[in-house]
């Protein structure tokens, strides 16, 4: 391992993590410059991830290359390994090189991980839905289940391949289930093997209702929509174990399936504890109202990895991109020397429920059905950075209106056959 010359962050500001929060901070710092440390060279626009999984959107179109989004920032592709908050030095592993980067100001934007519980079989058999690799994998996995079911002679075994269980009925779980069930419904017309197939979608949550983040009326509408499409909603229910061909739920329920998707919330990046930073009981970095890490001069934090107090709300911000974006705006201003406490009142919430159905709460006005879907799409299109990205997404949506979905299963992508291999 080579240790290369220590260097100084561009503009003196080091942004650790190039996800939603970090990329916006670097973009908003503009010509002041910044150095972004990121594992990938793109920012993922997560609210569009369910549509990338269902194939409505091309996966490349829901990411924004950091070099295009932040033209004045330097990108250092690598992993933060250690942080000396006293000496203002971050240690970055970039390929085979270890680089010490000095900073004047550093911004922690290291995001979150899926909150996996120690449930037997979950780590081995459960599928996550957090990043682009998860979305592409899930799409291919679901399409492959259709092929397995088509090849299966035994009806019960075929139906197990057509059964999909989602644990966690927050935004990510509901949107992913709604989009993927649309994909499967569309795909089934190409499978003459299935004589009236019984596909089964099950949405499980420990809470007594789905989408607890939104007003009850909208949540109930979403539940009715999903139930109308045949989705089984099991609230006040927990997952107890997962096997290769079945899952067990509380109450002694056993469901034969090969697909268990875990969307039951997130936990702050566990690396934060290892960095020796002040964290709360969830492991989120404690910051003050200016977004400064408590007791660490020159260190700031935001997004899913931080516990951000909001002067406009009684409790700290929830881990959403909407909040990460507002925090990024405040943090960039604070770094530019215009310091003020962070305050933000949410203007609304939006979610899609598959094709032409959605829910939105805008300035307290609940919208649902087609108008909810339209508002959700318009909002995300507005928030997506770069005109060229917006245009690609609109083109994908237009194509999806005119043509049937693509159902090619491309699981082999990223695993090229070796030369000379069989
Ligand atoms: C499927 C899904 C759908 C969602 N839908 C919505 C929605 O509709 N509306 C909404 O408001 N929110 C939504 N969210 C939540 C939203 O995505 C997050 O709140 C937001 O991404 C938080 O931004 P962040 O920058 O804190 O974290 P992230 O965007 O996760 O970024 C963290 C970054 O840190 C990087 N990183 C981690 N460790 C290291 C390391 N050691 N060194 C260097 N880099 C590192 C990661 O690679 C990543 O790029 C959704 C989330 C998911 C998973």
């Amino acid at each position: 391992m080579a240790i290369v010359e220590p260097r100084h962050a561009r503009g003196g500001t080091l942004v650790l993590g190039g996800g939603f929060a970090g990329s916006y901070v670097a973009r908003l710092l503009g010509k002041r410059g910044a150095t972004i440390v990121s594992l990938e060279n793109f920012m993922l626009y997560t609210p569009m991830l369910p549509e990338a999984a269902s194939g409505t959107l091309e996966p490349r179109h829901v990411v924004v290359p950091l070099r295009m989004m932040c033209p004045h920032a330097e990108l250092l592709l690598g992993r933060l390994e250690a942080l000396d908050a006293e000496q203002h030095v971050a240690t970055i592993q970039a390929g085979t090189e270890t680089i010490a980067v000095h900073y004047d100001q550093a911004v922690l934007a290291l995001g979150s991980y899926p909150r996996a519980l120690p449930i037997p079989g979950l780590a081995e058999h459960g599928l996550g839905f957090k990043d682009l690799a998860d979305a592409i994998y899930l799409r291919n996995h679901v399409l492959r289940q259709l092929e397995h079911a088509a090849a299966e002679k035994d009806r019960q075994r075929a139906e197990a391949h057509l059964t999909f269980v989602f644990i966690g009925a927050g935004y990510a779980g509901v949107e992913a289930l709604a989009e993927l069930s649309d994909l499967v419904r569309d795909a089934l017309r190409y499978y003459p093997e299935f004589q009236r197939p019984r596909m089964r979608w099950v949405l499980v949550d420990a809470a007594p209702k789905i989408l607890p983040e939104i007003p009850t009326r909208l949540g109930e509408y979403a539940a009715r929509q999903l139930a109308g499409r045949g989705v089984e909603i099991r609230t006040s229910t927990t997952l107890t174990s997962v096997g290769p061909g079945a899952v067990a739920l509380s109450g002694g329920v056993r469901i034969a399936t090969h697909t268990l998707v875990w969307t039951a919330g997130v936990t702050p990046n566990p690396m934060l504890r290892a960095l020796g930073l002040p964290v709360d009981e969830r492991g989120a970095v404690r910051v003050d109202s200016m977004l400064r890490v408590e007791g660490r001069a020159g260190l700031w934090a935001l997004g899913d990895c931080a516990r951000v107090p909001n002067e406009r709300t009684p409790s700290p911000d929830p881990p959403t991109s909407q909040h990460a974006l507002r925090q990024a705006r405040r943090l960039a201003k604070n770094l530019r020397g215009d310091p003020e406490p962070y305050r933000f009142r949410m203007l609304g919430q939006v979610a899609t429920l598959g094709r032409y159905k959605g829910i939105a709460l805008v300035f307290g006005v609940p919208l649902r059905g087609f108008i909810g879907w339209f508002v959700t799409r318009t909002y995300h299109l507005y928030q997506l950075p770069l005109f060229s990205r917006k245009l690609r997404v609109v083109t994908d949506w237009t194509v999806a209106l005119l043509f049937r979905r693509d159902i090619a299963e491309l699981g082999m992508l990223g695993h090229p056959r070796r030369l000379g291999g069989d």
Side-chain angles (χ1 to χ4, degrees):
M1 182 190 299
I3 307 228
V4 299
E5 280 291 292
R7 48 187 281 195
H8 205 273
R10 184 186 286 186
T13 303
L14 184 62
V15 179
L16 298 161
F20 216 94
S23 61
Y24 269 101
V25 171
R27 180 175 170 83
L28 294 166
L29 283 175
K31 290 192 173 152
R32 275 180 71 101
T35 299
I36 309 172
V37 175
S38 179
L39 301 174
E40 302 90 20
N41 78 347
F42 58 79
M43 176 273 243
L44 168 64
Y45 191 82
T46 44
M48 288 179 171
L49 203 57
E51 290 192 67
S54 73
T56 310
L57 293 178
E58 179 64 34
R60 275 181 304 115
H61 298 168
V62 304
V63 302
V64 184
L66 287 170
R67 289 180 190 275
M68 292 168 81
M69 182 174 168
C70 316
H72 303 290
E74 176 195 35
L75 178 63
L76 181 52
L77 215 57
R79 175 182 295 274
L80 171 72
E81 293 288 347
L83 186 71
D84 184 339
E86 294 289 313
Q87 301 299 318
H88 286 208
V89 177
T91 307
I92 314 296
Q93 191 64 43
T96 55
E97 291 180 340
T98 304
I99 303 170
V101 184
H102 291 266
Y103 62 84
D104 298 330
Q105 308 291 328
V107 178
L108 286 163
L110 296 172
S112 54
Y113 277 47
R115 189 188 48 192
L117 301 176
I119 295 169
L122 178 60
E124 296 88 332
H125 306 294
L127 301 175
F129 193 68
K130 181 77 172 76
D131 58 27
L132 195 59
D134 290 340
I136 295 173
Y137 186 89
L138 185 56
R139 171 185 168 77
N140 289 322
H141 170 88
V142 165
L143 290 171
R144 181 147 290 213
Q145 294 312 304
L146 300 191
E147 299 301 342
H148 287 320
E152 186 55 77
K153 294 280 175 286
D154 179 88
R155 189 178 172 92
Q156 267 188 352
R157 282 207 292 264
E159 284 180 355
H161 286 293
L162 296 178
T163 298
F164 307 93
V165 180
F166 284 65
I167 309 289
Y171 279 122
V174 167
E175 291 191 324
L177 183 150
E179 284 290 336
L180 283 160
S181 63
D182 275 354
L183 164 68
V184 171
R185 199 167 294 112
D186 285 359
L188 284 179
R189 75 174 77 220
Y190 298 102
Y191 289 80
E193 298 89 336
F194 298 140
Q195 299 295 320
R196 283 198 273 137
R198 198 172 97 79
M199 69 165 181
R200 189 176 174 195
W201 295 82
V202 187
L203 181 61
V204 177
D205 203 297
K209 59 176 191 168
I210 69 164
L211 292 170
E213 312 89 333
I214 59 170
T216 307
R217 265 170 56 209
L218 277 181
E220 284 171 358
Y221 169 79
R224 279 200 306 279
Q225 275 299 324
L226 295 174
R229 285 190 233 166
V231 176
E232 255 174 77
I233 299 178
R234 290 176 176 265
T235 47
S236 305
T237 303
T238 52
L239 176 72
T240 53
S241 71
V242 192
V247 302
L249 306 178
S250 56
V253 177
R254 184 184 175 280
I255 299 176
T257 180
H258 299 273
T259 310
L260 184 283
V261 187
W262 180 260
T263 50
V266 293
T267 187
N269 191 327
M271 144 164 249
L272 299 159
R273 283 185 200 275
L275 292 176
L277 297 167
V279 293
D280 69 1
E281 60 296 340
R282 288 178 59 242
V285 180
R286 289 181 172 281
V287 296
D288 65 14
S289 62
M290 312 294 271
L291 300 156
R292 293 175 297 217
V293 176
E294 288 177 5
R296 306 290 194 281
L299 194 58
W300 310 71
L302 79 169
D304 284 10
C305 78
R307 181 185 199 275
V308 178
N310 184 340
E311 290 207 341
R312 291 263 159 80
T313 57
S315 38
D317 276 1
T320 77
S321 53
Q322 209 184 134
H323 289 88
L325 174 59
R326 296 322 187 293
Q327 294 163 15
R329 285 191 187 146
R330 184 68 262 155
L331 183 37
K333 283 187 185 152
N334 289 0
L335 279 168
R336 284 205 306 258
D338 177 17
E340 261 185 46
Y342 166 73
R343 17 180 121 85
F344 167 58
R345 190 176 298 286
M346 230 173 27
L347 306 176
Q349 280 162 299
V350 293
T352 59
L353 299 171
R355 197 177 290 169
Y356 310 132
K357 293 277 186 301
I359 43 177
L361 186 70
V362 185
F363 298 109
V365 181
L367 305 169
R368 51 196 207 187
F370 180 80
I371 184 80
W373 173 81
F374 185 77
V375 168
T376 303
R377 282 199 157 183
T378 309
Y379 171 78
H380 286 313
L381 193 64
Y382 171 71
Q383 291 295 3
L384 185 72
L386 300 188
F387 179 69
S388 61
R389 241 49 195 173
K390 293 181 203 282
L391 203 57
R392 283 170 206 261
V393 163
V394 170
T395 307
D396 284 354
W397 282 342
T398 310
V399 169
L401 285 176
L402 301 175
F403 299 97
R404 288 184 183 155
R405 281 172 210 264
D406 196 334
I407 57 162
E409 188 265 306
L410 300 176
M412 86 287 267
L413 288 188
H415 308 286
R417 199 172 289 159
R418 293 201 166 265
L419 282 179
D422 53 22

